[in-house]
């Protein structure tokens, strides 16, 4: 399967499944629609866990070797500071990219 | 019942939904741009980028899928990641359902397509605001969804075009983890969330060499379980 074909299968299947999730409770709104209390915590923890699992290897292991003091980790650290401080998406991405370019040049 | 007069009609309700959503779309534009750029970066074209944005219409899931496709992850890992990230929408669906219970089933099923973090937040806030004029709920929700949808598709297309013209020195692939970072920070609201993120991140780095990108879903599941255990223990302490 080519990458383009894989992308189409993934987006159609992922989109269909996502629609079923969206429609789940809305489809039966006339009945009692409640998520049990005990399932709320794991649902709430999905975004932080998944996002961290995507970020960490891209930052700390960009080329297959764990690097803590390279351009990427330091640039990500700067971006994290900006994200915590400003909560601005644009500022986070711009500062992170600029830092990566600068540090990449510095580390050569 | 508070005396707020007659509810707004369909057209003013749609307008109220668009107006409520507009300020929020400003924060959505960068993600739409990155969704377009990431598609190009993963070796895909405009058709695929727009396909993702129209069919899936969910920022974090789209970006994660594009990230994985760019790293040649297997199909099932890509689809599974999209679904896991979007599982949170169960909560939105459950939150919205009782508030749209008086609407026809056809309207509720059509409206499900618009359901996102943003439409949910904007709609719930308005529906539960006793001081604001009552709106025709489904129309308000649809107006908010339409505004978000238009901005999302437009910024995806701009991202594809812009991604092809950005100079080589800008490490555009790195924009993706940075976008995830800005999504991550607001979710770190308490200890279980921070622990889930730290565990997932650490395991993901350690398990990165596993074949088929299996390290990512494994790390996410371990992070969620650890945070869940911690949260259950904290609850018991509060009760004790």
């Amino acid at each position: 399967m080519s990458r383009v074909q894989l992308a189409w299968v993934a987006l159609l299947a992922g989109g269909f499944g996502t629609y079923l999730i969206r429609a789940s409770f809305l489809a039966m709104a006339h009945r009692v629609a409640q998520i049990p209390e005990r399932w709320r915590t794991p649902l709430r923890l999905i975004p932080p866990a998944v996002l961290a699992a995507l970020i960490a290897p891209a930052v700390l292991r960009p080329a297959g070797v764990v690097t803590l003091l390279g351009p990427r980790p330091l640039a990500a650290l700067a971006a994290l500071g900006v994200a915590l401080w400003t909560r601005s998406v644009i500022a986070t991405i711009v500062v992170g990219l600029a830092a990566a370019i600068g540090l990449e040049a510095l580390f050569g | 019942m508070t005396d707020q007069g007659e509810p707004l009609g369909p057209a003013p309700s749609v307008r109220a939904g668009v107006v409520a959503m507009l300020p929020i779309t400003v924060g959505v534009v960068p993600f739409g741009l990155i969704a377009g750029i990431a598609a190009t970066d993963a070796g895909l074209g405009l058709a695929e980028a727009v396909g993702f944005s129209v069919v899936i219409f969910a920022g974090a899931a789209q970006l994660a899928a594009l990230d994985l496709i760019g790293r040649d992850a297997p199909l099932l890992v890509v689809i599974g990641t999209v679904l896991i990230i979007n599982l949170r929408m169960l909560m939105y669906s459950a939150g919205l359902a009782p508030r749209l219970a008086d609407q026809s089933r056809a309207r509720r099923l059509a409206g499900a397509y618009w359901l996102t973090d943003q439409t949910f937040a904007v709609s719930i806030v308005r529906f539960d605001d006793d001081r604001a004029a009552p709106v025709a709920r489904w129309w308000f929700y649809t107006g908010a969804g339409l505004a978000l949808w238009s901005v999302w598709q437009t910024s995806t297309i701009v991202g594809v075009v812009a991604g092809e013209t950005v100079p080589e020195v800008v490490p555009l692939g790195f924009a993706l983890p940075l976008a995830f970072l800005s999504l991550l920070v607001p979710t770190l609201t308490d200890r279980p969330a921070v622990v889930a993120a730290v565990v997932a991140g650490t395991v993901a780095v350690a398990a990165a060499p596993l074949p088929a990108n299996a390290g990512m879903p494994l790390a996410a599941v371990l992070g969620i379980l650890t945070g869940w255990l911690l949260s259950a223990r904290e609850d018991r302490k509060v009760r004790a």
Side-chain angles (χ1 to χ4, degrees), chain B residues 55-233:
Chain B
V55 178
I56 297 187
F57 186 41
Q62 275 177 245
L63 296 183
L66 291 167
D67 186 19
L68 289 167
I69 291 172
R71 292 193 268 138
D72 284 319
L75 181 62
L76 284 181
V77 170
V78 179
I79 297 172
T81 302
V82 167
L83 297 182
I84 287 178
I85 293 182
N86 286 340
L87 255 190
R88 71 185 187 288
M89 293 177 179
L90 273 180
M91 291 190 289
Y92 305 157
S93 191
L96 206 55
R99 292 172 174 85
L100 294 178
D102 56 340
Q103 304 291 320
S104 73
R105 188 175 193 159
R107 278 187 176 183
R108 282 183 275 121
L109 287 180
Y113 174 64
W114 310 121
L115 188 56
T116 61
D117 305 84
Q118 293 82 6
T119 32
F120 173 75
V122 160
S123 301
I124 291 285
V125 165
R126 180 61 186 253
F127 296 168
D128 293 357
D129 185 353
D130 295 332
R131 285 164 304 174
V135 285
R137 289 184 169 182
W138 189 80
W139 293 102
F140 176 93
Y141 171 78
T142 297
L146 253 174
L148 183 72
W149 191 89
S150 317
V151 171
W152 186 244
Q153 308 309 330
T154 311
S155 50
T156 304
I157 294 169
V158 173
V160 171
V161 177
E164 285 165 350
T165 57
V166 171
E168 195 84 352
V169 325
V170 182
L172 277 183
F174 194 48
L176 212 46
L178 292 171
F180 291 141
L181 192 63
S182 55
L183 284 174
L184 171 68
V185 165
T187 68
L188 302 175
T189 48
D190 59 2
R191 229 145 55 96
V194 173
V195 168
V198 170
V199 170
T202 312
V203 174
V205 171
L210 287 184
N213 286 285
M216 203 284 293
L218 175 75
V221 168
L222 287 177
I224 293 162
L225 287 178
T226 316
W228 196 4
L229 280 175
L230 178 69
S231 161
R233 179 177 290 186

Side-chain angles (χ1 to χ4, degrees), chain B residues 29-40:
Chain B
V29 169
F31 293 110
L33 293 174
I34 303 239
I37 292 171
T40 319

Side-chain angles (χ1 to χ4, degrees), chain A residues 54-62 70-80 92-104, chain B residues 34 37-38 41 63 67 168-182:
Chain A
L54 287 167
I55 297 165
V59 168
L60 299 176
R61 208 166 182 167
R72 291 283 162 100
L74 294 176
L77 202 61
L80 176 65
T92 304
I93 295 172
V94 168
V95 168
L97 283 181
I101 295 170
L103 290 162
E104 213 85 61
Chain B
I34 303 239
I37 292 171
D41 211 55
L63 296 183
D67 186 19
E168 195 84 352
V169 325
V170 182
L172 277 183
F174 194 48
L176 212 46
L178 292 171
F180 291 141
L181 192 63
S182 55

Side-chain angles (χ1 to χ4, degrees), chain A:
Chain A
M1 199 168 6
S2 78
R3 208 180 251 195
V4 169
Q5 286 169 326
L6 183 138
W8 279 107
V9 178
L11 78 89
L12 290 173
F16 180 67
T18 299
Y19 177 76
L20 293 184
I21 294 170
R22 285 174 160 140
S24 57
F25 285 89
L26 280 168
M28 44 171 202
H30 51 286
R31 273 178 256 144
V32 186
Q34 273 291 326
I35 292 193
E37 194 62 43
R38 53 196 286 237
W39 292 108
R40 287 180 191 226
T41 304
L43 283 175
R44 182 177 67 84
L45 294 178
I46 290 172
V50 171
L51 291 169
L54 287 167
I55 297 165
V59 168
L60 299 176
R61 208 166 182 167
V65 189
V66 179
T67 325
L68 294 179
L69 276 175
R72 291 283 162 100
L74 294 176
L77 202 61
L80 176 65
V82 173
L84 286 168
W85 183 40
T86 66
R87 291 286 163 106
S88 157
V89 180
I90 299 175
T92 304
I93 295 172
V94 168
V95 168
L97 283 181
I101 295 170
L103 290 162
E104 213 85 61
L106 207 67
F107 277 72

